[in-house]
Amino acid sequence: MSQPAGSAAAPTATAPALGSWSLLRSPAVAATAAAAGVDWICLDAQHGEHDDASVREVCTLLAGSGVAVLVRPPSNDAAWIGRALDAGAAGVVVPLVEDAREAAAAVAACHYPPRGRRSWGPLGGAYGRAVPSAREARARCAVMVETAGALERVEAIAAVDGLDEVFVGPFDLSLSLGREVGELVADPAPDAPLRRVVAACRRAGVTAGAFGVAPGHTRALLALGFTSVAFASDVSALGEGLARLRADAAQG
């Protein structure tokens, strides 16, 4: 078992990276999110509508915007990861990683030999973008801890060489633990599951990220020590924004 979160060193004071989760297969919607000032945007090809074509379109549209485009592939699949990076994604958020071996496989898929196993084939030149050399390429690799088994092995996962981030999916993790997601996020215990993830990331020197797209979750996750949080999705922003505007109009 890990040490309690309270035993970990205090994090360096830096501004959190707040991102948007993209479920809709619309480059225009993704560009609107980027223009709103988000730090990063993740295109969801696991549960969202994104595919090869939309990933290429969004990466081309947002090239040079300063907003990092990440992709969640459908699974920990080297071919899918390579295609996302070839399209110009800054990195990937790999779902349902269970142990250090699977995390190492995700890292290897993100890097060219001799560090990894990524095959050469970037598409940037086809869209008028400069393509970094294999030596210069630096893809960001985040892996998702979403199950009770992964939580038990989170220290080993976070310590994998070359890993950049452990990203928590609190909805799936709560299902696996048999708990309500709100209870999981609000758990104040020193050895609470989410505190354990943050502590493991601090010790390993990697980013602790999380999906916070629910009322109050982002603030709670930031308070726990997560430093990269998805605070909204395009679907939630559209639905909540329209509901609010309609309510305002009805009062008019």
Side-chain angles (χ1 to χ4, degrees), residues 97-176:
V97 167
E98 290 289 335
D99 54 32
R101 180 186 61 81
E102 292 185 5
V107 171
C110 288
H111 299 286
Y112 295 113
R115 185 179 186 186
R117 300 184 62 191
R118 180 182 172 189
S119 174
W120 178 259
L123 294 170
Y127 299 97
R129 299 195 306 266
V131 174
S133 69
R135 186 181 298 274
E136 296 168 331
R138 180 69 179 92
R140 182 172 184 81
C141 183
V143 298
M144 297 190 73
V145 167
E146 304 179 86
T147 67
L151 178 65
E152 284 302 305
R153 295 180 284 272
V154 69
E155 290 79 19
I157 291 172
V160 166
D161 184 40
L163 186 70
D164 297 293
E165 180 175 353
V166 173
F167 194 94
V168 173
F171 290 91
D172 278 332
L173 184 57
S174 67
L175 289 173
S176 183

Side-chain angles (χ1 to χ4, degrees), residues 10 27 41 54 63 66-67 74 76-77 94 125 138 141 154 165 167 170 188 206 214 216-217 223 227-228 232 247 252:
I41 184 168
S54 64
V67 176
N76 190 359
D77 178 82
V94 180
R138 180 69 179 92
C141 183
V154 69
E165 180 175 353
F167 194 94
V206 300
H217 285 192
T227 56
S228 182

Side-chain angles (χ1 to χ4, degrees), residues 170-171 181-183 185-186 211-223 229-230:
F171 290 91
V181 64
E183 173 198 352
V185 172
F211 187 83
V213 184
H217 285 192
T218 293
R219 289 188 297 274
L221 291 165
L222 292 173
V229 179

